[in-house]
Amino acid sequence: MKDFTHFNEEGRARMVDVSNKPDTTRTAVALSSITVNQDVYRQIQNNENKKGDVLGVAQVAGIMAAKKTWDIIPMCHPIPLKGIDISFRWKEAGEDHQLEITVSVKTKGSTGVEMEALTAASVTALTIYDMCKAVDKGMVIGPTQLLEKTGGVSSPDYKRLIEE
Amino acid sequence: MKDFTHFNEEGRARMVDVSNKPDTTRTAVALSSITVNQDVYRQIQNNENKKGDVLGVAQVAGIMAAKKTWDIIPMCHPIPLKGIDISFRWKEAGEDHQLEITVSVKTKGSTGVEMEALTAASVTALTIYDMCKAVDKGMVIGPTQLLEKTGGVSSPDYKRLIEE
Amino acid sequence: MKDFTHFNEEGRARMVDVSNKPDTTRTAVALSSITVNQDVYRQIQNNENKKGDVLGVAQVAGIMAAKKTWDIIPMCHPIPLKGIDISFRWKEAGEDHQLEITVSVKTKGSTGVEMEALTAASVTALTIYDMCKAVDKGMVIGPTQLLEKTGGVSSPDYKRLIEE
Amino acid sequence: MKDFTHFNEEGRARMVDVSNKPDTTRTAVALSSITVNQDVYRQIQNNENKKGDVLGVAQVAGIMAAKKTWDIIPMCHPIPLKGIDISFRWKEAGEDHQLEITVSVKTKGSTGVEMEALTAASVTALTIYDMCKAVDKGMVIGPTQLLEKTGGVSSPDYKRLIEE
Amino acid sequence: MKDFTHFNEEGRARMVDVSNKPDTTRTAVALSSITVNQDVYRQIQNNENKKGDVLGVAQVAGIMAAKKTWDIIPMCHPIPLKGIDISFRWKEAGEDHQLEITVSVKTKGSTGVEMEALTAASVTALTIYDMCKAVDKGMVIGPTQLLEKTGGVSSPDYKRLIEE
Amino acid sequence: MKDFTHFNEEGRARMVDVSNKPDTTRTAVALSSITVNQDVYRQIQNNENKKGDVLGVAQVAGIMAAKKTWDIIPMCHPIPLKGIDISFRWKEAGEDHQLEITVSVKTKGSTGVEMEALTAASVTALTIYDMCKAVDKGMVIGPTQLLEKTGGVSSPDYKRLIEE
């Protein structure tokens, strides 16, 4: 596909050729969060939300979103995901509560799965916002970031330093 | 990814890690049915439905549904389907007629294709219901079940005993 | 669109013209079920399935499927759903257990929502099958049928007689 | 559909009934951001990214994501969007550069469009991450939040106070 | 939404605001074609294609594509289609045969359905190509064009002059 | 799967079994075009279209469509695309201007990517039509055709002779 390049000299969009990259096991871990007030926190913890079990629904949404990342992010390659896991941890944030969302994705393919992990983390947070917005619209999502990535062949592994 | 498990100790949803499973040829066969009255039966057989060739449209719907099973069933792994085939057989059922729907799916991948076959069988039956419901809303779909499955590495082949 | 008809004299598929039908409030209720053995029953009830909370995930799957019915059933009109609710009830079935799945759908539109209710009920059952199939592949889905429908303008309301 | 409630007494998921809400003109504005280092900033501004015009592609991704919000967020009602607009503004952030992403969405429908605006803002940022991650994986997305919302009938308009 | 404009002064993409346009009945008719050689023609007419009834499958594909036009064409508004009809007519074309594909779409909405008709016509032709390409890869699709459009409020009706 | 055939003796649709075909590197190049009048040409070239950068948006649309070809073309196998590139070239066409659209697609899989290239080329042209139709509805798309294909195992490479 070395002739591919000159076709697109206008500098516009392309899904870059990865056919030379071998299939390897790759993982990525992304982190997002949502900061909520006391009322939302209590509703989630007591499972009193009238739309359902907030964290349970959000987890399903995140997993399904990871699988369609290729259809949401235009230049992202379709890749067969082998495992997705989403976990939660509450932290205090002044008078509010911050829910940390950690997403791990695993594949055996020719590109990394950073986007799948980041997309799943974002959609998990968005789903929590959706289910709780009748109580408070002031919830804040993120920051959202890549924590770690392993298994690429051309680019080295990545690990973010997070201070607690 | 051996740390995957403890992330999700809350007992909520996960798409389990199958990255250790090798790609093998796998098949699954599912069976569903729809029971219709005389009027519907005649309309289908005489190709007099105003929405089109009922069984032809249903077959296309079933095949397309098999391909998007991963987007319909939340914890289902995406898997590259290699072949899908749907066949029909009429049986008498008292004063009614029962259309048996058999779906065979084949892949070369790391998980089985039971869900693809079962989803295709269900959608084939639902499409027939949709096209004929102006005549009779009393049609009954199913039972829907797995007939047979081959090719897994950890779980044995499966074959249901059906008495005619 | 009275000229529409002659275009398609070959008897092939069409999505019939409903532009003359007014938007009215419409509801539909569909019933499906899944029959499972003791092991699966216990796993669901004790929330011990390693893929997650079985009924919770299945409910999310059913709701999301209802919303994309128009993309799954070829001749089905797209219609803005206003409410979806899915409930469960266990019944004994000899040595097995049968989980009844009831789906209610509501819209304000120009066609009925029978297909949305039936599709959601089927996908809810399929998701339960998917999450429990590692324990037993013999589970049986359905029969799946329409229980009731209200609000059409040309066709009368419908109510199925079910004997318990 | 007043019987809807008792069906779902298990406290699981539901898409709540909004059939009583009238169609009104509604708007929502959401804000997200992505913080990038000097190299990424220069590549975007000089249009030197090998995958294409970063902000142009991200805008298309955000608009398309807004339209499928109902398919990404499980309990979100499908709603016919009437207008979507996405704008960018660069701000300095220490040694880095922060790109502010503002998304405005408009509809005429029975529910608000907060989720559509928030989803579009998130996907716009995710797309920028995807296109630039070969240069730096340390980019940070968000915080993502609702800026303003108008046009509901039961809930009042909302406006967030942002200090510059 | 008069403030919408200045947000996007960079000249990038937007889905333009149509919230002021009333819902009216609108129709569009599009024309495409596929030119095939004798072998393909015979296979279609004698229903000997091993993938199925070529024109029947193509019609289903076209109808389903019309419904997801908003998800394929980035700046296209989602709109509730009320009727879709696809018809075929064979014409001789030298030694080859040309199949004319005519698609009529109807809606009651705030934008026209030209794109839905043109997309359906294109996908119908592409599906025929797919099913017959094992016989001949030289088939030519199109030209594809709008034949007629009615029902807009700001733009006049349109009718193309076609010489036979 | 040799028993597959007799299941479907009715001559209806099937997705043919390709599980015996090895994964090889495959490419396809497709050509489409859109012919526009002076006003549309000027608007595109001067980037004065109020919906955005016409060719940039169209390129994104084409790439995203290539990735979902399996969901648009019923009997098409899902296949992991490895690279997509779309380029443009203007030609004079009497008083009008013709924009040539060339799409190259690459995969490593068991079926060819002709349909992905042809679908992307069609959607690129359709998107340009959509963005410019407010100026002129008389634009003509295509002819659309396969230019070249390499890498199959059972069928030979293909190259169309085009006279300039």
Side-chain angles (χ1 to χ4, degrees), chain A residues 62-104:
Chain A
I63 289 168
M64 295 183 85
K67 291 194 279 182
K68 52 187 157 196
T69 299
W70 62 269
D71 192 37
I72 295 174
I73 308 297
M75 301 306 140
C76 206
H77 294 80
I79 200 165
L81 303 188
K82 298 293 184 182
I84 309 167
D85 210 333
I86 300 177
S87 66
F88 298 115
R89 189 166 63 144
W90 283 106
K91 296 172 73 169
E92 297 206 4
E95 298 198 354
D96 292 335
H97 295 263
Q98 188 182 38
L99 181 73
E100 269 192 9
I101 301 163
T102 307
V103 179
S104 301

Side-chain angles (χ1 to χ4, degrees), chain A residues 59 67 82 85 87 104 106, chain B residues 4 7-8 12 74 76 110:
Chain A
Q59 233 171 6
K67 291 194 279 182
K82 298 293 184 182
D85 210 333
S87 66
S104 301
K106 198 169 187 178
Chain B
F4 241 25
F7 271 138
N8 203 344
R12 289 206 185 85
C76 205
S110 56

Side-chain angles (χ1 to χ4, degrees), chain C residues 103-125:
Chain C
V103 179
S104 300
V105 178
K106 198 169 188 179
T107 194
K108 218 163 141 184
S110 56
T111 63
V113 284
E114 299 97 305
M115 293 319 301
E116 283 75 8
L118 287 162
T119 301
S122 302
V123 168
T124 303

Side-chain angles (χ1 to χ4, degrees), chain C residues 2-164:
Chain C
K2 59 175 176 293
D3 281 356
F4 243 24
T5 325
H6 83 270
F7 271 137
N8 204 345
E9 58 222 23
E10 302 86 350
R12 290 206 185 84
R14 115 188 46 194
M15 193 175 89
V16 295
D17 182 7
V18 296
S19 59
N20 288 328
K21 297 195 182 182
D23 283 1
T24 58
T25 300
R26 292 151 182 271
T27 65
V29 182
L31 178 71
S32 187
S33 65
I34 185 164
T35 302
V36 307
N37 69 16
Q38 293 279 357
D39 292 342
V40 172
Y41 173 73
R42 237 176 286 120
Q43 203 190 61
I44 293 175
Q45 289 304 87
N46 299 340
N47 203 0
E48 291 167 344
N49 188 291
K50 68 172 179 170
K51 293 184 178 184
D53 168 15
V54 177
L55 302 191
V57 174
Q59 233 171 4
V60 177
I63 289 169
M64 294 184 87
K67 292 194 278 181
K68 50 187 158 196
T69 300
W70 62 268
D71 192 38
I72 295 173
I73 309 297
M75 301 305 141
C76 206
H77 295 80
I79 200 165
L81 302 188
K82 299 293 184 181
I84 309 166
D85 211 334
I86 300 178
S87 66
F88 298 115
R89 189 166 62 144
W90 284 106
K91 297 172 73 168
E92 298 206 3
E95 298 198 353
D96 292 334
H97 296 263
Q98 187 183 39
L99 182 72
E100 269 192 10
I101 301 162
T102 308
V103 179
S104 300
V105 178
K106 198 169 188 179
T107 194
K108 218 163 141 184
S110 56
T111 63
V113 284
E114 299 97 305
M115 293 319 301
E116 283 75 8
L118 287 162
T119 301
S122 302
V123 168
T124 303
L126 287 164
T127 300
I128 295 170
Y129 188 100
D130 177 48
M131 295 185 75
C132 301
K133 68 181 191 291
V135 177
D136 176 35
K137 289 181 175 44
M139 290 170 283
V140 174
I141 292 173
T144 304
Q145 48 197 314
L146 185 68
L147 275 195
E148 142 181 356
K149 158 195 191 304
T150 70
V153 285
S154 56
S155 63
D157 287 355
Y158 174 85
K159 197 167 180 72
R160 183 187 296 268
L161 295 178
I162 300 278
E163 61 279 3
E164 287 280 321

Side-chain angles (χ1 to χ4, degrees), chain A:
Chain A
M1 203 134 114
K2 58 176 178 294
D3 281 357
F4 243 23
T5 325
H6 82 270
F7 271 137
N8 203 345
E9 57 223 23
E10 301 86 350
R12 289 206 185 83
R14 114 188 48 194
M15 194 174 88
V16 295
D17 183 7
V18 297
S19 59
N20 288 329
K21 298 195 181 182
D23 283 0
T24 58
T25 299
R26 293 152 182 271
T27 65
V29 182
L31 178 72
S32 188
S33 65
I34 185 164
T35 303
V36 307
N37 69 17
Q38 293 280 356
D39 291 342
V40 172
Y41 174 73
R42 235 176 288 120
Q43 202 189 62
I44 293 176
Q45 290 303 88
N46 299 339
N47 204 1
E48 290 167 344
N49 188 291
K50 69 173 179 170
K51 293 184 177 183
D53 168 15
V54 177
L55 303 190
V57 174
Q59 233 171 6
V60 178
I63 289 168
M64 295 183 85
K67 291 194 279 182
K68 52 187 157 196
T69 299
W70 62 269
D71 192 37
I72 295 174
I73 308 297
M75 301 306 140
C76 206
H77 294 80
I79 200 165
L81 303 188
K82 298 293 184 182
I84 309 167
D85 210 333
I86 300 177
S87 66
F88 298 115
R89 189 166 63 144
W90 283 106
K91 296 172 73 169
E92 297 206 4
E95 298 198 354
D96 292 335
H97 295 263
Q98 188 182 38
L99 181 73
E100 269 192 9
I101 301 163
T102 307
V103 179
S104 301
V105 178
K106 198 169 187 178
T107 194
K108 218 163 140 183
S110 56
T111 63
V113 284
E114 300 97 303
M115 293 319 301
E116 284 74 9
L118 287 162
T119 301
S122 302
V123 168
T124 303
L126 287 164
T127 300
I128 295 170
Y129 188 100
D130 177 48
M131 295 186 76
C132 302
K133 69 181 190 291
V135 176
D136 175 35
K137 289 179 175 46
M139 290 170 283
V140 174
I141 292 174
T144 304
Q145 49 197 316
L146 186 68
L147 276 195
E148 136 182 0
K149 157 194 192 303
T150 70
V153 285
S154 54
S155 61
D157 287 356
Y158 173 85
K159 197 167 180 72
R160 183 187 295 268
L161 296 179
I162 299 277
E163 63 279 2
E164 287 280 322

Side-chain angles (χ1 to χ4, degrees), chain F residues 6-25:
Chain F
H6 84 270
F7 271 137
N8 202 343
E9 57 223 22
E10 303 87 349
R12 290 206 184 85
R14 116 188 45 196
M15 193 174 90
V16 295
D17 183 7
V18 297
S19 59
N20 288 329
K21 297 194 181 182
D23 283 1
T24 57
T25 299

